[in-house]
Amino acid sequence: MRRTQRAKRTAGAIATLPFSHVRNPYQPVEVLSADHVEHIHISALKLLATTGMRILDAGARERLAKAGCTVDELTVRFEPEVVEAALASCPSTFTLRARNPEHTLTIGGNHVVFGSVGGPAFVHDLDRGRRAGTDAEQIEYLRLTQALGVLHQEGGGPFEALDLPADTRHLDFYLNAIRHLDKNWQAIALGRERAADAIDMAAISLGTDRDGIVDDPAVMAIINTNTPLTLDIPMAEGLMELAAAGQVVCITPFTLAGAMAPATVAGALVLQHAEVLGVNVLVQQVRRGAPVIYGSFTSNVDMRSGSPAFGTPEYTKAAQASGQLARRVGLPLRSSNVTASNTVDAQSTYESAMSLWGALMGGANLINHSAGWLEGGLTASYEKLIIDAEMLQMFVEYFRPIEVSDDTLALDAIAAVGAGGHFFGSPHTMERYETAFYSPLVSDWRNFETWRDSGSVDATHRANGLWKHLLEDAVDPPLDSAIDEALADFVTRRKKVLLP
Amino acid sequence: MRRTQRAKRTAGAIATLPFSHVRNPYQPVEVLSADHVEHIHISALKLLATTGMRILDAGARERLAKAGCTVDELTVRFEPEVVEAALASCPSTFTLRARNPEHTLTIGGNHVVFGSVGGPAFVHDLDRGRRAGTDAEQIEYLRLTQALGVLHQEGGGPFEALDLPADTRHLDFYLNAIRHLDKNWQAIALGRERAADAIDMAAISLGTDRDGIVDDPAVMAIINTNTPLTLDIPMAEGLMELAAAGQVVCITPFTLAGAMAPATVAGALVLQHAEVLGVNVLVQQVRRGAPVIYGSFTSNVDMRSGSPAFGTPEYTKAAQASGQLARRVGLPLRSSNVTASNTVDAQSTYESAMSLWGALMGGANLINHSAGWLEGGLTASYEKLIIDAEMLQMFVEYFRPIEVSDDTLALDAIAAVGAGGHFFGSPHTMERYETAFYSPLVSDWRNFETWRDSGSVDATHRANGLWKHLLEDAVDPPLDSAIDEALADFVTRRKKVLLP
C-alpha cells in the first residue's frame, strides 16, 4: 500500500511524491537525561510562580485570575498546580481538518506534518530576484505548495501580498489558500479579527459553521510570545478567539539564546518551557480541552554581531531537548526547518539538514516552515521550496522501515547470481525495477561528463526549472461553486467592515 | 576543559576547531528490530556456509582451510562456528597511533574519528577546475588536512599524483603524509608491497620498527571485497600483510543495491555482513586478535541509469542498520560522508548531511571520506573539504551535551532581566560572550543587505577563499631530521627495487 504511493518513474515526469500521511517509526534521540528534563520542568514552574509573565491584555489577565493565578498589575504568577491542571486537560493527539478529507492531519503521537514557509516579508526566485511579494505571486506559491504532495499544510501565507491593503490582506490570503489548496492552511492570529475570519472561512469552506468545527478543528495558528515572559495584546486576542472556537493554538516562544533568552541552551529552554506552560493556562481557561501544540523555536545569536543564527548545533540540540520537554508534559511538538543563509547554496541545505534532523529525530510532530524558508525567515524562496521538498521526500523514504523478510534478504537470488556476478538483470531486481529506491526530485546522479555536457546545472538552477514546470502543470483542486460564492461574499462583506 | 578547545574568536581568524578527541554521547538510532538484526546475521552465516566466497589468492585459501573452512577450487565455505570463533577474538576497541601521540586515535566504543577523502582519480577547485592531480597538489591537500583540526586522520591519499610513476607513487604519498601531517594516515593496501611499505614507513616515523607497532598499531587500510562474495588477490595480499604485522584492517564491501548487490536494502546488508564476517576469518587466521573495523558502504544505484547514488535515504537507513549489525558482532563501525553531486552545491550538502546523520546516529566510529569527497568519489574537492569540515565541526558541537545546572538554567538572570527585557548586556551573557556558541567556519550569518553589499558570495566561494588562507598560514608539524632522513633513504631504496 505505502509502496504504491511512491512517485511513478514516468519518463520526463517530475518525481514529486503524492500526498501521504507520514509517521516516524524511530525512537527520538534523547540529548537530556531524565533528571535534566525534570530539572528544566521544575525550574520553569518556579519561574512562572515567582517572576511570572507580563500579560498585556486585560481580558486575558481576568481569565488567568479565574484560573487561580495571582495578578499584580500586568504581572501574572502561576502556581504549579494551576499549570499542571491546565496541562492535564490537553489532548496529546488530535486531528486538523482539510477540505479534502483525505488531507485531514493527525497531530501527535509519531505523526509528522510538513508545513510550508509562513510569514516572510520578501519573496525570491532566480529570475525575478528579491522583492516584496504580490497577491498574484502568492497564488503561484500556494499552487506550488499544493503541487508538492510531500507538504501537508500551508504555513500561514508564504509572504505578505504588499499590493493589497494591510487590514484586509488576510482575507485575500485565506480565500487564495482555500481556492488553490485542498490541504489545511494556517491562520494568522495577529488580533481577534484575523483569527475570527479564518475560523469563519474555514467553516464555510467545509460547508459548515463554527459549531461544526468546535470539536473537530480545522484552523491552527502560531501564537508567539514576546520573550522573555510577555504575551502581547494581538496574540492574546488571537489565542482567545481560536481557543474559544475549539481551534488549535501552537504556542511558540522565540527564545533566541543570547538576545531575548540567556546565552545558554538550558536557559533558553527553561524560558521556552515556562512560556508554553503559562500561555497554555490561558488557552485551557478559555476552553478546557482545546488542542495545543508545544512550539519550539530556540536558537542562538551570533555573539559577534547579535544576528540570529539558525540550523546551528545549538538549534539541533534544543529541538531534540524540546521533544523531551513536550513529551514530559504530553503535548505534540512543533519545530522548524531553518537557515540563516542569504542564498540557496550549500550553507542553506546544511543548516536546513541540521534543523530537520534535530526536529525529526527529536520527535517533532509539526515541522513549520519545512519548505521555502531563507534568510532567517525574511524571505520565501521558490528554489528553496523545491530543494526542501526533496529533503522532506528523502525523510519520508527514510521513515519507511527496511523490509526484512526472506524475500528481501534474497538469499536465493544471491546464490543464483553467485560470487563475482551482478544483479542488474536478475529476476529479483527486475521485479523491483520500478519502485526499488527513492527517485529524486532535484538530485542529479548522472556522471560528470553527462552532467557537464548538458550545461553543468547546479541544484538551485535545476530547482528553478522544476518550479516552472510544476506551475505549468498545476491544477487547482475542485471547489464547490456555492462554497466559493459564499466565501467570496464573506470576504466582500468583511472588507466593507474593515475598510469602510 | 572541552570548552576551552573551542575556536578562539580572534578578529579575522578562521574558526577552525583545534584537534580534539570526539565522542558521541547519544544512543544510536535503531532502524531494525532486534529480531531483524538476528535474521540478517543468521542469513549471512547461512550464505557463508552454502554459497561461500570466491577467494582468488591461493595463500589466503590455504589459511582459510587451516581455519576450518571448506575449500572447493576458488570457493571457500565458512561454517558458523568458524565465523563466530574469529569474531570472538576481535577487539571491540583499540588505538591507532599517530606520530603526534596526542593525535593517537581510539577506534570503538562511542569514539568518533573523522578521516579525509581517500582514493579519488581527480581533483577540483574553483580556480583550476577538474583535473588529474599532481604530487605538489597532493601536498597542498595534505597540508589543508593537517590545518583542519576537526579531521583526525588522513584518508589514504586524497587523489592520485599522476605526475609520478604508478608503481612507486605510494611511497611518495606516505612520505608526504608523514612530513606534512602529525596525524594518522591510511595506507593503500592494494597488493603486498604497498601495505608493507606503509608499515615500514609508519614504524620509522615513530622511531621504531615492525616489532614496535605489532601490538600497538599505527597503520590502517581499507580492504574492499569485490562484491558479490569475492576477495581478489591484491586485497588479500594487502590484508594478510597488515594482519600479520598486527595493523588495522577495515573490511569494506561495496554493496551497491541493484548492481553488485540485490535491489533491496536488506539484501545488500546481508551480503555486506557475510563478506565482512567471511574476510574477518582470514584476518584472524593470519593473526588472532588483529584489529578489524566493520566497513559499511551500502548504497543503491539509480534504477534508471545504473549510476551509483549516495546520501540517499536508503544509504541513511543502511548506515544505521550497519551500526546495529556491527554492534551485534562486537566490531567498530566505519561509514562515510558521500554525495553523487558533480559540484559543491545544495545537493552536495543535503546528500552529505543524509550520510553523516545516518553514519553518526548509527553509531559509526570512523567516518571515512568525511571531508572533500565529490562526484561519487571520483573527485577530491578543495571547497568541499572546507564545507565538510564545517559540517563536522557542527557535529563536534552537537556531541557536547547541553549543560543543565542552576548556573546555565539562569533563573536568577531571567528574574533580573525580567519580563520584556533582553539579555544582550546582562552579566550572565557577558560572562559567556567569548565561548557561548559554535562559531562557524563557512556560514555567513550577516543580514541580507550586508551580505549583498559585500559581494553576495555563496558558501562555495567563501570556502574557496578559506582554503587559500589556510594554505598561506599552514605550518608543517616538526619532524625529527634523523627520522626524515631515514624515511627518505627508505623511499630511495624501495624505488630502486620497484623501478629498477
Side-chain angles (χ1 to χ4, degrees):
Chain A
M1 165 63 192
R2 293 185 72 193
R3 185 160 288 273
T4 61
Q5 292 180 339
R6 288 206 190 167
K8 284 270 181 285
R9 213 171 270 113
T10 323
I14 298 174
T16 51
L17 285 187
F19 189 100
S20 73
H21 296 283
V22 175
R23 283 164 177 257
N24 175 354
Y26 309 125
Q27 285 299 306
V29 174
E30 300 201 330
V31 294
L32 296 174
S33 68
D35 282 355
H36 285 165
V37 171
E38 216 48 35
H39 196 169
I40 295 174
H41 180 67
I42 299 291
S43 299
L45 292 177
K46 196 171 151 193
L47 198 58
L48 287 170
T50 53
T51 304
M53 288 185 72
R54 276 210 317 165
I55 307 292
L56 305 187
D57 184 81
R61 288 195 303 276
E62 268 172 45
R63 287 177 181 272
L64 285 166
K66 274 190 200 148
C69 296
T70 315
V71 178
D72 177 9
E73 299 195 355
L74 298 182
T75 299
V76 175
R77 292 188 178 82
F78 307 72
E79 287 304 314
E81 309 76 60
V82 172
V83 174
E84 299 279 11
L87 285 171
S89 61
C90 295
S92 60
T93 303
F94 49 86
T95 57
L96 185 55
R97 291 172 70 180
R99 77 176 174 82
N100 178 343
E102 290 179 12
H103 296 178
T104 287
L105 305 170
T106 303
I107 310 283
N110 68 359
H111 295 266
V112 174
V113 168
F114 295 128
S116 58
V117 62
F122 302 101
V123 60
H124 180 274
D125 63 69
L126 288 180
D127 303 298
R128 294 170 285 190
R130 184 180 191 259
R131 61 201 186 272
T134 63
D135 185 54
E137 290 171 326
Q138 190 182 79
I139 291 172
E140 277 185 1
Y141 213 91
L142 295 174
R143 298 184 86 194
L144 289 171
T145 302
Q146 173 71 10
L148 292 162
V150 75
L151 297 177
H152 298 106
Q153 186 192 46
E154 196 286 328
F159 45 84
E160 295 281 307
L162 284 183
D163 55 341
L164 300 178
D167 287 344
T168 56
R169 208 179 276 159
H170 65 283
L171 293 163
D172 300 287
F173 160 62
Y174 299 154
L175 190 57
N176 289 340
I178 295 167
R179 282 183 171 159
H180 300 289
L181 294 156
D182 63 0
K183 302 176 182 179
N184 185 274
W185 44 274
Q186 288 185 24
I188 299 159
L190 201 70
R192 204 196 62 75
E193 308 265 13
R194 290 186 182 85
D197 289 337
I199 297 163
D200 289 326
M201 289 179 71
I204 297 170
S205 78
L206 295 166
T208 185
D209 57 16
R210 285 180 170 236
D211 287 347
I213 60 171
V214 68
D215 290 317
D216 193 6
V219 178
M220 186 209 106
I222 306 294
I223 296 293
N224 291 122
T225 49
N226 269 7
T227 301
L229 298 167
T230 303
L231 181 66
D232 69 20
I233 293 173
M235 285 278 113
E237 282 185 2
L239 173 158
M240 291 190 289
E241 185 68 23
L242 285 165
Q247 305 305 298
V248 180
V249 175
C250 177
I251 308 168
T252 309
F254 186 18
T255 31
L256 196 61
M260 293 86 86
T264 55
V265 174
L269 286 172
V270 78
L271 205 46
Q272 167 190 290
H273 199 62
E275 293 180 8
V276 172
L277 268 49
V279 173
N280 181 54
V281 174
L282 177 57
V283 176
Q284 299 304 317
Q285 180 61 24
V286 172
R287 182 178 171 87
R288 194 143 300 268
V292 164
I293 299 173
Y294 185 117
S296 163
F297 205 77
T298 292
S299 194
N300 61 283
V301 294
D302 177 359
M303 294 300 275
R304 284 173 292 195
S305 65
S307 300
F310 294 101
T312 62
E314 290 83 4
Y315 184 96
T316 307
K317 285 187 273 191
Q320 295 180 343
S322 296
Q324 294 181 259
L325 292 167
R327 290 191 293 280
R328 168 65 182 78
V329 297
L331 293 177
L333 174 69
R334 165 257 159 117
S335 189
S336 309
N337 169 7
V338 287
T339 171
S341 183
N342 290 302
T343 187
V344 186
D345 62 352
Q347 178 187 341
S348 75
T349 47
Y350 69 63
E351 289 185 338
S352 273
M354 286 297 283
S355 49
L356 279 172
W357 277 97
L360 289 166
M361 295 319 289
N365 300 102
L366 167 64
I367 312 294
N368 220 38
H369 309 301
S370 74
W373 155 301
L374 202 63
E375 273 182 47
L378 277 179
T379 290
S381 157
Y382 279 64
E383 285 83 19
K384 189 68 166 22
L385 179 73
I386 302 294
I387 286 178
D388 284 335
E390 171 90 304
M391 295 178 74
L392 301 178
Q393 291 195 166
M394 290 169 81
F395 273 103
V396 172
E397 179 61 39
Y398 170 68
F399 287 150
R400 295 158 44 99
I402 297 172
E403 280 182 59
V404 178
S405 64
D406 287 338
D407 186 42
T408 61
L409 288 168
L411 290 201
D412 293 344
I414 295 172
V417 164
H422 66 76
F423 293 78
F424 281 119
S426 89
H428 189 269
T429 302
M430 296 313 287
E431 283 162 23
R432 288 162 177 78
Y433 178 76
E434 287 284 333
T435 55
F437 306 122
Y438 173 68
S439 189
L441 183 59
V442 182
S443 296
D444 191 329
W445 293 340
R446 295 176 300 171
N447 66 33
F448 177 80
E449 290 74 15
T450 311
W451 172 79
R452 182 196 56 201
D453 295 347
S454 64
S456 304
V457 184
D458 69 16
T460 305
H461 286 82
R462 291 196 300 275
N464 178 266
L466 283 165
W467 68 254
K468 289 176 197 166
H469 279 296
L470 285 174
L471 265 188
E472 272 168 29
D473 296 347
V475 180
D476 287 332
L479 177 63
D480 181 279
S481 62
I483 286 178
D484 191 288
E485 214 168 296
L487 288 164
D489 286 353
F490 180 90
V491 168
T492 307
R493 205 164 63 243
R494 288 288 295 146
K495 282 188 175 177
K496 279 188 191 142
V497 175
L498 294 171
L499 280 182
Chain B
M1 166 63 189
R2 293 186 71 194
R3 185 162 288 275
T4 61
Q5 292 180 338
R6 289 206 191 168
K8 283 272 179 283
R9 212 173 270 113
T10 322
I14 297 174
T16 50
L17 286 187
F19 189 99
S20 73
H21 295 283
V22 174
R23 284 165 176 256
N24 175 353
Y26 309 125
Q27 283 300 305
V29 174
E30 300 201 332
V31 293
L32 297 173
S33 68
D35 282 355
H36 284 164
V37 170
E38 217 48 34
H39 196 169
I40 295 173
H41 179 65
I42 299 292
S43 300
L45 292 178
K46 197 171 149 191
L47 198 57
L48 286 170
T50 55
T51 302
M53 288 186 72
R54 277 211 315 164
I55 307 293
L56 305 188
D57 185 81
R61 288 196 302 276
E62 268 172 46
R63 287 178 180 274
L64 286 166
K66 275 191 200 147
C69 297
T70 315
V71 178
D72 178 7
E73 299 195 354
L74 299 182
T75 299
V76 175
R77 293 188 176 83
F78 307 72
E79 286 304 313
E81 307 76 61
V82 172
V83 174
E84 299 281 11
L87 285 171
S89 60
C90 296
S92 60
T93 303
F94 49 84
T95 56
L96 186 55
R97 289 172 72 181
R99 78 176 175 83
N100 178 343
E102 290 179 14
H103 295 179
T104 287
L105 305 170
T106 303
I107 311 283
N110 68 0
H111 295 267
V112 175
V113 167
F114 294 128
S116 58
V117 63
F122 302 101
V123 59
H124 181 274
D125 65 68
L126 287 180
D127 305 297
R128 294 171 285 189
R130 184 183 193 257
R131 60 202 186 271
T134 63
D135 184 55
E137 290 170 327
Q138 190 182 77
I139 291 172
E140 277 186 0
Y141 213 92
L142 295 175
R143 298 184 87 193
L144 289 171
T145 302
Q146 173 70 10
L148 292 163
V150 75
L151 297 178
H152 299 106
Q153 186 191 47
E154 196 287 327
F159 45 85
E160 295 282 306
L162 283 183
D163 55 341
L164 299 178
D167 287 345
T168 55
R169 208 180 274 160
H170 65 283
L171 293 164
D172 300 288
F173 160 62
Y174 298 154
L175 189 58
N176 288 341
I178 295 166
R179 282 183 170 160
H180 301 289
L181 293 157
D182 63 1
K183 302 177 182 179
N184 185 273
W185 44 274
Q186 288 185 23
I188 299 160
L190 201 69
R192 204 196 63 75
E193 308 265 16
R194 291 187 181 85
D197 288 337
I199 297 164
D200 289 325
M201 290 179 70
I204 297 170
S205 79
L206 294 166
T208 184
D209 57 16
R210 285 184 170 231
D211 286 345
I213 60 172
V214 67
D215 290 315
D216 194 5
V219 178
M220 185 209 107
I222 306 294
I223 296 294
N224 291 123
T225 49
N226 268 9
T227 301
L229 298 167
T230 302
L231 181 66
D232 67 20
I233 293 172
M235 285 278 113
E237 282 185 4
L239 174 158
M240 290 189 291
E241 185 68 23
L242 287 164
Q247 305 305 298
V248 181
V249 175
C250 177
I251 308 168
T252 309
F254 185 20
T255 32
L256 196 60
M260 291 86 84
T264 54
V265 173
L269 287 172
V270 78
L271 205 46
Q272 168 190 291
H273 199 61
E275 293 180 6
V276 172
L277 269 49
V279 173
N280 181 54
V281 174
L282 177 57
V283 176
Q284 299 305 316
Q285 180 61 24
V286 172
R287 185 180 170 85
R288 194 143 299 270
V292 163
I293 300 173
Y294 184 118
S296 163
F297 206 77
T298 293
S299 193
N300 61 282
V301 296
D302 178 359
M303 293 299 273
R304 285 173 294 194
S305 64
S307 300
F310 293 102
T312 62
E314 289 83 5
Y315 183 96
T316 307
K317 284 188 274 191
Q320 295 179 344
S322 296
Q324 294 181 261
L325 291 167
R327 290 189 293 281
R328 168 64 182 79
V329 297
L331 293 176
L333 175 68
R334 166 257 159 120
S335 189
S336 308
N337 170 6
V338 287
T339 171
S341 183
N342 290 303
T343 186
V344 186
D345 62 351
Q347 178 187 341
S348 75
T349 47
Y350 68 66
E351 289 185 337
S352 273
M354 287 297 283
S355 48
L356 279 173
W357 277 96
L360 290 166
M361 295 319 287
N365 300 102
L366 167 65
I367 311 295
N368 219 38
H369 309 301
S370 75
W373 155 300
L374 202 62
E375 276 181 47
L378 278 178
T379 289
S381 158
Y382 279 66
E383 285 83 20
K384 188 69 167 23
L385 179 73
I386 302 295
I387 287 179
D388 284 334
E390 171 89 304
M391 294 178 76
L392 301 179
Q393 290 194 168
M394 290 168 80
F395 273 102
V396 172
E397 179 62 38
Y398 169 67
F399 288 150
R400 294 158 44 99
I402 297 171
E403 281 183 58
V404 179
S405 65
D406 287 340
D407 187 41
T408 61
L409 287 167
L411 290 199
D412 292 345
I414 296 171
V417 165
H422 65 77
F423 293 79
F424 281 119
S426 89
H428 189 269
T429 302
M430 296 312 286
E431 284 162 23
R432 288 162 179 77
Y433 177 77
E434 287 285 334
T435 55
F437 306 120
Y438 173 68
S439 189
L441 183 60
V442 182
S443 296
D444 191 329
W445 294 340
R446 295 175 300 171
N447 66 31
F448 177 82
E449 290 73 16
T450 311
W451 172 80
R452 182 196 56 202
D453 295 348
S454 64
S456 303
V457 184
D458 70 16
T460 305
H461 286 83
R462 292 197 299 275
N464 177 267
L466 284 164
W467 67 254
K468 289 176 197 166
H469 279 296
L470 285 175
L471 265 189
E472 272 169 28
D473 296 348
V475 179
D476 287 331
L479 177 63
D480 182 279
S481 61
I483 287 177
D484 191 289
E485 214 166 296
L487 288 165
D489 286 350
F490 180 90
V491 167
T492 307
R493 205 164 63 243
R494 288 287 296 145
K495 282 189 176 177
K496 280 187 192 145
V497 175
L498 294 171
L499 279 181

